Amino acid sequence: VQLQASGGGLVQAGGSLRLSCAASGRAFSNYAMAWFRQAPGKEGEFVSGIGWSGFSIYSEDSVKGRFTISRDNANNTVYLQMNILKPEDTAIYYCAAGSKLRPGLNQYDYWGQGTQVTVSS
């Protein structure tokens, strides 16, 4: 599976962005998908993930109520709608594909190249 993330940018605090991750290759609908992020000087962290069917969703506490993950299996794309953005959301965001919905960095097999999100105060 090849993953291509897009949609990052510079936004003011309180603003919104929608990240997209387009997949190609093996059957996209077979995979759980997740978004991770890595801020400068920090370790990568799980943000949100969605099961293959779209019914199972798990999000990190700091983004609950602000970020929404969704997927479109017909178009091989997963999205992360990010609202009420905060400066602490500034990071490179990566999409990942794996066999199960899990929060660990090392539990996903395929990774996109990352897209930069910068939130100014």
Side-chain angles (χ1 to χ4, degrees), residues 4 35 48 75 85 92 115:
Q4 180 75 34
W35 289 94
S48 190
N75 290 299
L85 281 160
I92 300 174
T115 184

Side-chain angles (χ1 to χ4, degrees), residues 65-113:
R66 300 189 298 122
F67 292 10
T68 302
I69 190 170
S70 62
R71 67 188 297 161
D72 181 349
N73 285 345
N75 290 299
N76 292 352
T77 305
V78 63
Y79 303 98
L80 186 68
Q81 177 67 45
M82 305 186 295
N83 298 327
I84 318 175
L85 281 160
K86 303 175 180 180
E88 53 263 43
D89 295 318
T90 295
I92 300 174
Y93 284 69
Y94 299 88
C95 58
S99 60
K100 292 183 179 181
L101 176 55
R102 291 174 286 194
L105 273 166
N106 60 355
Q107 294 171 323
Y108 288 81
D109 302 310
Y110 305 97
W111 291 83
Q113 85 289 1

Side-chain angles (χ1 to χ4, degrees), residues 32-35 46-60 63-65 67-71 78-80 101-102 108:
M33 299 296 296
W35 289 94
F46 176 87
V47 176
S48 190
I50 188 167
W52 65 270
S53 68
F55 288 109
S56 298
I57 291 175
Y58 178 78
S59 297
E60 193 264 333
V63 307
K64 285 180 180 177
F67 292 10
T68 302
I69 190 170
S70 62
R71 67 188 297 161
V78 63
Y79 303 98
L80 186 68
L101 176 55
R102 291 174 286 194
Y108 288 81

